[in-house]
Structure formats: structure tokens, C-alpha cells
Amino acid sequence: MTHRRFIPRKRLLPLAIASTALAPFSMTAQAQSETGMTLDPVVVSATRSETSVSETARSVTVVDEDQINEQSKVSRNLNDILAQTVPGLGPSTESVTNYGQTLRGRKFLVLIDGIPQSTPLRDASRGLNSISASAIERIEVIRGGTAIYGFGAKGGVINVITKKASEDSVSGYSQAGVRFSTEHFDDSLDYETEHRVSGTQGDWDYVLSGSFVERGGRFDADGDRIPPGGPGGTQGGFSDTTEYNVLAKTGLDFDGGDQRIELMVNEFNNEQDSDYTFGFAQGDDKTPAVPLDEAVDQAKPGVDPEQVFTSARATYSHADIAGSSIKADVYYGDSRQAFPKYYYPGAGPYPQSAIESEKVGVRTSVNTPLEVLADGANLTWGVDYLSDKTDSRYYDQSGEIPATSPAMDQDAYAGYAQLELPVAESAVLRAGLRHEDISVDVGTVPANGSSFPNLQGHRVESGTLDYSETLFNLGAVYFVSDSVDLFASYSEGFSIADVGRVIRDAGPYRTAPSDPILTFQAGSFESEAEKVENYEIGSRYSGERLGVSAAVFYSASNGGTTFDSNLNIQKNDEDIWGVETAADYSVTSATTLGGTLTWAEGIRDTADGGRKRLPGTRIAPLKVTGYLEDQTLSWWHNRLQLSHIGSRDQFEGSTAFGEGEVERYTIIDYVARFNAGSGEVTLSVRNLLNEDYYPAVSQSYYQIGSANSATSRIKGQGRTMGVGYSLNW
């Protein structure tokens, strides 16, 4: 038996470039040539060092530029793109939010070039809607909690890497297109365009990319308008939105290429200005969209819903300092995320909310060869710092009103070390630790939101929450042959997620002004943290025509987050387990098929000492995706794909939030691309068979007998066509 030789780190980057260029169809990041020769797999950087996918002891998916471009023809929404291509990730919410779309049943950390987009202190769940797909080079997804990044990565990391410069001195790309509902053409038109220019001149390279989208209404399979608020009527939708994204990136190599400085700025803005809001469903009817001038005053927004993200980064790297390579990032992130208006009958006038966050951070990575231990041994180590100032704003139709959640100012420090140790030529061991010290200053709240909607809540005195945690990870990869490897890992994650929500909901629900007002000390909420232990075993196969990966996982945590029937936050011990597979098969040099399968289940402790299944906002039903691609004719490329979401009914008769029954549905999409002169014409059809369905998260929101169900019955889009033209110049 010939075992695979461990690839020295200095060879990884050129091998990654070669295999990435030849792997447009691979979901498992394994590359094959048309002749069937197996190439070395691609490299991921989300591990804090350049690591071959086949040598990671974790489940990793790399969604490359070709896949992103292909999926963008069907939908520009990253929730949709990743749901179709990444096993372990829940079904798309089909909206601006990733609330209810978890990674192995847990929330994940979203990074753009290493800059965190998530807002864990007061979770807005908008990380996947913080950059346009047109600005992305590839997306690396590491599933399961990770001690490598920390700072909220308990479910895994989704690392978005922005466009790189062309190797030509000047290279351009332009695209324009329209999309529309085939069931209701009027008011459904989307207009989109994107342009990019990049190049390399000597030691200097640059990228300038911009995109603009103006969207009309969204319509279901019956041709009826979908309410603009998204799942639950309040999480945020794409109807009647205007979006733009501008990416500027430049870098300079010097010292013979050993040193590099790179600067990046990305600005994303998505704002909704709709003449509609949600109405109220009767019984099992769908939630209707109603004109604002016909809606009750409590359902009219005080400010336009929006997502605004600004990210900036400066990077310095040196290939050889006393034998080690070093990379240091200084970054800045600023975001504002305003939710739609929330209201349902009999509950009173809930305020409209917005979450604002400003981050400043430093991230360092040093790779030190340890040849004294073994050929190819390496230690990756460094320190991280993150300052995060998060605040909540509240509005009614008269303007801003007093906050019911605290202002929070976090300082977080971490040091980490990760050892990579080849064992002969047949195995690689990885072990590491990360120590985090986190301090959160919490401002005073005169009246928190525990008494929504009358805002006469309890008082929370200012204070400081201190956390300190050491996280470990251990994994191994064994190369059975050149085609097969086995891997296993244990990893810990840690999060103080949604402290703001916990404090906002503190105290009993006050139903009358005469109810007593309590006073809480902010420091008493230090225990509201969650530590996750992740276990995983799996295998990968990369043959001449077939690539397959499969993994079984289990995670356990203390202090996991769910909600009761009154949407009050609940902290419980949890267990989650499941299985994932992905496969790609080259039928011929021109035809490829493949897909993914994800199944998970979870259970939590209850206040009465029992155990209960985790809700649908945490655990998604069975998800199966598949695709068939063909380019028998060189000028005509076809892709047919499906996404099947299974049923889940663990909560018969429940009125608790997230415990609605999910009925199965299947969405089929088609994309055709034709050569046209020096450019390309694209025809896409989303929901080809016009499936009439409710997205899984909307079904989970629905609660039998609950007033909130009137706003939760939001249908998915009916058949939608797109036509576009793109040109490289």
C-alpha cells in the first residue's frame, strides 16, 4: 500500500492555486483533471495557516469562485448559495437573516477576510448578508466549534475571502441582468449590475469591484405578494430593497516578495423601502401582504429596515523572520442592522429595533517550523484582540424611544498555539489550545424590555462581566492510501452570545403598572455563557472520477439558547448529533453530478428536570441537495439542481416558539449559460416547478393556537426567471 506523503508547507500554495483552477465542480474541495488524474487538494486559510483540505482533521467545505458565480445566477443571497453547497448548514431562510439557519445546530462566526461580521453581544443574525456575492473569491466553511478563532465560533466558521487581483496588468468584468416572477410580472422586477477592474503591475496589485441591485416585490406560487418582513414577518426580507456593495483592495510586495502589505475596504448597504407590510393570517391561511395605508398603525415602521456594513483591514506579512512566517491584521468593522416593525394582534405596540456594532481588532499568526520534531512539523501561534461596542436602538412612529437593552463595551484578549505533527508518511496529528479573557462593560438600563410592549420594565444597574476560558482541540488524519483518508477530532468552542437579549428579558413579565419593579446588577449575568465540546469522525475519498466525504458528529454544551412560548430566552444544557455526506461523480469529461446530505437531531434539559427536542430554529429537518451539470456542447453549459427539505414534527400540539411542524418540500432550479460573442448570456429559473411551500424556518415559527402565528405563515417564492449578460474585458 502506498501512503500519501505529507506535503511540506512551502509547497502548499502553488498546489492550491493549480487545483483550485481545475476544480470548478467540486463540493468537497477535491480536484480532478479531465484525464482522471487526481491532483493535490486545495488549501484553506480559515485554519489560521495554509492547510490542505485532505490534511485537516475537520469537515471543511470550500465554495470556490465558479460555484459562487453559478449559484448567483439563481440567487445572490449567501444564505441560499451556502445552503445549496455546504453540508451541515441548515436550509436557507430566503431572507436577509440567518436566524434559524444553523451550522450543525449551532450559530456560527462569519468573517470577511478575517473581520468578524457577527454581533454576538446582541445577536442580529445578519452575518451572511454583509457582502455581495460579486465581491467574493471563495468561501471556506469549517464545521463544528473551533478553538482556533474563538470569540463566538461555537458552531463553526464561515470565512468569506474577497476577490483577488488578476495577474494581467488590467482585467475587467461587467454583468447586467433582470429577474422577475413568472406568476406576477408586475412589481416583481429586479435590476442588477456589477463591474470589476483588477490587475497586477510589477509588485503592485489592485481590485475595485462594485455591484448594484434594485429589487421589486416577492411573489409566491399563487402570484400573491409575500410580506416584505421575511420569516415571522419581522426578521427582514428582500422585497423592495436597494443594495450596493463596493470593494477596494490593493497590495504591495517588496523585499523580493518576502514581505507584503495589503489594504482592503468593503462597504455593503441594503435598505428596504416598501409600500407594504404584513397582515394577519386566519387559521392555517398564509400571512398576507397589505398596503401600508390599509394597515393598522402598530404595523407601520418608524424607520426603514436596513443592513449597513463597513469593513476595513490592513495586513502585513513576512515570509521569513528567523525561520518563521508572520501575518498580522488590524481591522475595523462598523454595522447597523434595523429590523422590520414587529406587531401581532392583542400584544400591543412593540417598538422597532436596530442593533449597532463597532469593532476594532488585531489578529496575528506566526508559523514556526519544528523540524527537530519531524519533517513538516509546524507550530502556528499568536495573539488576538477584539474591541466590540454594541448598542440597541428602539423606534416608534414618533422617532427614537428609550433603550430597553444595555449598551455594551467588550474587550477580549486571546493567545493560542496549534501544533501540526506528521507521523511518518501516513498520518498527521494536530493539537492546540486557546485561552480567552473577555470583559464586557454593561451600561445602566432604567427600564428593560421584560414587559414588552408597554416598556415599563425592571432596572439593571451597570457593571462588568468577566469571562476566562481555556479551550483545547485535538485531531488526527490517517492516510489509508493515496485516495482515502480517515480523520477524527475533538474541539471546544466558547460564546457569551446575546448578553443584551438576556438582560433585556431579565425579570418576570410585568402586565400592569402596579407590578413590582426589580433591580438587577449587571454582574449577576456572568454565568450566561456557553461552552461547547465537539466530537467528529469521518472519511474522504478522492478517486479518478468520484469524490466522497462523510462525517458523524456530536456536540454537547452548557447554557445553550432557546426560547419559551413568550419568546423569553432560555439557557439549557444541550446535546446535538448528526451525519453529513457530500459526493461528486464525473460521468464523462463533460458531465458531472453530485450532492450533499445533512441530518441532525438535538435535545435539551428542561426546567422540570426532563429532556426535550431542540426547536426547529436550531435543528433543521433532513436536507438533501443534488445537481447535474453538462457541457457536451462547448458553447452551452447546463445545470439542474434540487434542494429537498424533509419533514420534522417532534412537538405535536406545542405552542412554544420554534416548535411548529415542518412539512417536506423540494425546490428545483435550472441555469443555462450560452457563449455570445465575447461574452455570455445566462438564463436561470428558480423554483422551476413553481412549488407552493413555506420555508422550513417559517414553518418552525408557526405555533398552533398562538397569536404570533398570524404573522409567521410567510410563503416561499414561486417560479422566478432571470436573464443576464456578462463580459470579461
Side-chain angles (χ1 to χ4, degrees):
M1 178 181 297
T2 302
H3 288 174
R4 185 181 312 171
R5 176 176 293 276
F6 179 77
I7 304 173
R9 187 165 303 278
K10 63 184 179 182
R11 290 182 52 210
L12 285 175
L13 188 56
L15 290 174
I17 294 172
S19 57
T20 299
L22 293 170
F25 305 133
S26 176
M27 287 183 176
T28 57
Q30 304 291 323
Q32 298 172 349
S33 73
E34 291 187 359
T35 62
M37 182 182 66
T38 302
L39 301 179
D40 290 303
V42 301
V43 167
V44 292
S45 59
T47 56
R48 301 295 291 264
S49 62
E50 293 177 349
T51 304
S52 166
V53 168
S54 68
E55 291 165 358
T56 62
R58 310 288 302 273
S59 289
V60 178
T61 297
V62 178
V63 185
D64 63 28
E65 185 176 22
D66 289 325
Q67 289 176 282
I68 295 169
N69 290 342
E70 189 83 44
Q71 293 298 323
S72 296
K73 312 303 183 187
V74 177
S75 172
R76 300 175 63 91
N77 182 8
L78 287 190
N79 303 63
D80 296 340
I81 293 172
L82 294 178
Q84 185 69 37
T85 56
V86 178
L89 188 67
S92 174
T93 64
E94 302 186 20
S95 67
V96 302
T97 183
N98 43 267
Y99 179 76
Q101 186 177 21
T102 58
L103 195 57
R104 292 185 171 177
R106 302 188 185 276
K107 292 188 175 181
F108 45 83
L109 175 65
V110 179
L111 305 169
I112 295 178
D113 285 351
I115 305 170
Q117 305 298 304
S118 307
T119 54
L121 292 178
R122 183 63 188 92
D123 190 12
S125 299
R126 296 291 195 274
L128 290 181
N129 194 49
S130 57
I131 188 172
S132 169
S134 63
I136 300 174
E137 180 77 20
R138 71 181 189 274
I139 303 172
E140 302 172 346
V141 182
I142 296 182
R143 301 189 286 284
T146 172
I148 302 299
Y149 273 100
F151 296 158
K154 61 182 180 180
V157 173
I158 297 180
N159 188 32
V160 176
I161 298 172
T162 57
K163 291 286 188 184
K164 65 180 181 181
S166 169
E167 295 182 359
D168 297 330
S169 58
V170 179
S171 178
Y173 173 82
S174 294
Q175 181 268 343
V178 296
R179 305 175 198 249
F180 55 89
S181 167
T182 63
E183 308 310 296
H184 192 123
F185 182 81
D186 293 345
D187 299 332
S188 71
L189 276 169
D190 293 359
Y191 302 93
E192 61 186 53
T193 186
E194 59 186 74
H195 304 273
R196 182 171 62 254
V197 60
S198 68
T200 301
Q201 299 185 10
D203 293 328
W204 173 62
D205 55 73
Y206 63 94
V207 178
L208 181 61
S209 174
S211 64
F212 176 83
V213 183
E214 185 173 1
R215 300 184 178 94
R218 293 290 183 265
F219 295 87
D220 64 24
D222 298 322
D224 295 331
R225 186 182 295 271
I226 299 171
T234 61
Q235 287 294 328
F238 284 106
S239 298
D240 307 311
T241 56
T242 300
E243 174 191 306
Y244 72 81
N245 192 102
V246 177
L247 168 71
K249 191 173 179 180
T250 185
L252 178 67
D253 295 321
F254 57 100
D255 190 18
D258 281 349
Q259 300 187 62
R260 178 175 173 84
I261 296 175
E262 184 174 282
L263 303 175
M264 185 278 288
V265 177
N266 189 75
E267 171 81 12
F268 176 86
N269 185 300
N270 184 60
E271 185 173 355
Q272 186 174 67
D273 183 7
S274 180
D275 294 328
Y276 292 82
T277 186
F278 57 86
F280 306 108
Q282 302 296 322
D284 289 336
D285 292 343
K286 61 190 174 188
T287 302
V290 299
L292 279 175
D293 56 9
E294 297 177 13
V296 296
D297 287 342
Q298 296 95 325
K300 298 177 181 178
V303 296
D304 287 336
E306 64 179 355
Q307 297 82 48
V308 181
F309 288 83
T310 301
S311 302
R313 172 182 58 86
T315 300
Y316 169 76
S317 59
H318 197 302
D320 188 1
I321 298 180
S324 297
S325 63
I326 184 171
K327 180 180 179 181
D329 294 320
V330 178
Y331 60 84
Y332 170 82
D334 183 68
S335 66
R336 173 181 164 82
Q337 301 152 77
F339 288 78
K341 187 69 168 67
Y342 181 47
Y343 169 73
Y344 60 85
Y350 278 77
Q352 188 179 2
S353 63
I355 297 172
E356 298 177 352
S357 177
E358 184 179 42
K359 298 181 176 70
V360 177
V362 177
R363 177 173 286 125
T364 63
S365 297
V366 182
N367 292 307
T368 303
L370 296 178
E371 301 293 338
V372 294
L373 297 180
D375 182 24
N378 184 77
L379 180 69
T380 301
W381 56 278
V383 295
D384 297 338
Y385 167 74
L386 174 62
S387 170
D388 184 349
K389 301 179 187 296
T390 298
D391 202 355
S392 298
R393 308 287 183 183
Y394 294 88
Y395 306 89
D396 61 19
Q397 289 184 295
S398 64
E400 188 168 357
I401 60 177
T404 63
S405 296
M408 293 167 287
D409 188 351
Q410 171 187 284
D411 284 300
Y413 303 85
Y416 70 94
Q418 182 77 17
L419 177 65
E420 179 182 278
L421 183 64
V423 180
E425 295 183 356
S426 60
V428 179
L429 298 179
R430 301 182 186 277
L433 60 84
R434 177 186 178 91
H435 180 78
E436 295 187 3
D437 281 310
I438 303 174
S439 176
V440 183
D441 291 331
V442 178
T444 296
V445 183
N448 73 358
S450 64
S451 61
F452 274 0
N454 59 30
L455 303 181
Q456 297 176 357
H458 305 290
R459 181 177 178 84
V460 180
E461 297 286 356
S462 64
T464 301
L465 285 63
D466 291 314
Y467 304 89
S468 182
E469 194 71 41
T470 300
L471 308 172
F472 298 91
N473 69 85
L474 178 65
V477 184
Y478 175 66
F479 305 116
V480 179
S481 68
D482 285 345
S483 300
V484 179
D485 59 75
L486 307 175
F487 62 91
S489 70
Y490 167 80
S491 184
E492 298 176 343
F494 178 68
S495 174
I496 58 173
D498 233 341
V499 173
R501 176 65 187 263
V502 173
I503 293 176
R504 193 198 76 180
D505 289 347
Y509 196 93
R510 295 182 67 242
T511 59
S514 59
D515 291 344
I517 297 177
L518 306 179
T519 298
F520 297 92
Q521 302 297 320
S524 64
F525 298 98
E526 273 188 359
S527 62
E528 304 294 347
E530 182 179 10
K531 185 175 181 179
V532 182
E533 297 180 335
N534 299 272
Y535 303 84
E536 176 181 16
I537 58 173
S539 179
R540 292 176 285 246
Y541 170 80
S542 178
E544 291 186 354
R545 292 181 177 270
L546 177 66
V548 180
S549 65
V552 177
F553 63 87
Y554 167 78
S555 67
S557 68
N558 59 344
T561 300
T562 55
F563 297 91
D564 65 14
S565 57
N566 292 319
L567 299 186
N568 294 315
I569 200 166
Q570 304 291 301
K571 293 285 188 176
N572 309 104
D573 291 350
E574 300 173 345
D575 298 284
I576 298 174
W577 60 93
V579 61
E580 303 163 353
T581 63
D584 301 276
Y585 178 68
S586 297
V587 181
T588 68
S589 61
T591 305
T592 307
L593 57 83
T596 72
L597 181 146
T598 302
W599 176 86
E601 192 52 84
I603 198 167
R604 65 182 175 90
D605 291 346
T606 58
D608 60 5
R611 300 277 275 172
K612 186 176 183 178
R613 297 289 185 181
L614 284 169
T617 51
R618 293 287 307 282
I619 302 297
L622 171 73
K623 185 189 77 170
V624 178
T625 70
Y627 74 92
L628 172 65
E629 285 196 343
D630 180 78
Q631 196 171 5
T632 302
L633 302 176
S634 61
W635 54 270
W636 183 15
H637 180 278
N638 295 272
R639 180 183 176 97
L640 188 70
Q641 65 182 33
L642 67 83
S643 177
H644 172 77
I645 308 303
S647 60
R648 188 171 187 258
D649 184 16
Q650 309 281 359
F651 314 101
E652 184 176 356
S654 173
T655 62
F657 178 75
E659 296 186 355
E661 177 184 358
V662 178
E663 297 180 351
R664 65 174 59 91
Y665 58 92
T666 302
I667 306 300
I668 298 176
D669 307 315
Y670 172 70
V671 179
R673 294 187 279 117
F674 308 88
N675 293 343
S678 56
E680 185 177 75
V681 173
T682 300
L683 171 67
S684 67
V685 187
R686 176 178 180 175
N687 193 359
L688 179 67
L689 302 183
N690 200 34
E691 176 87 348
D692 188 17
Y693 70 102
Y694 293 93
V697 68
S698 291
Q699 296 189 60
S700 296
Y701 273 31
Y702 179 69
Q703 307 145 61
I704 300 172
S706 169
N708 188 47
S709 65
T711 66
S712 300
R713 299 280 286 172
I714 308 295
K715 280 204 169 183
Q717 279 185 257
R719 185 189 296 113
T720 305
M721 291 192 66
V723 179
Y725 180 76
S726 60
L727 175 69
N728 289 298
W729 49 270

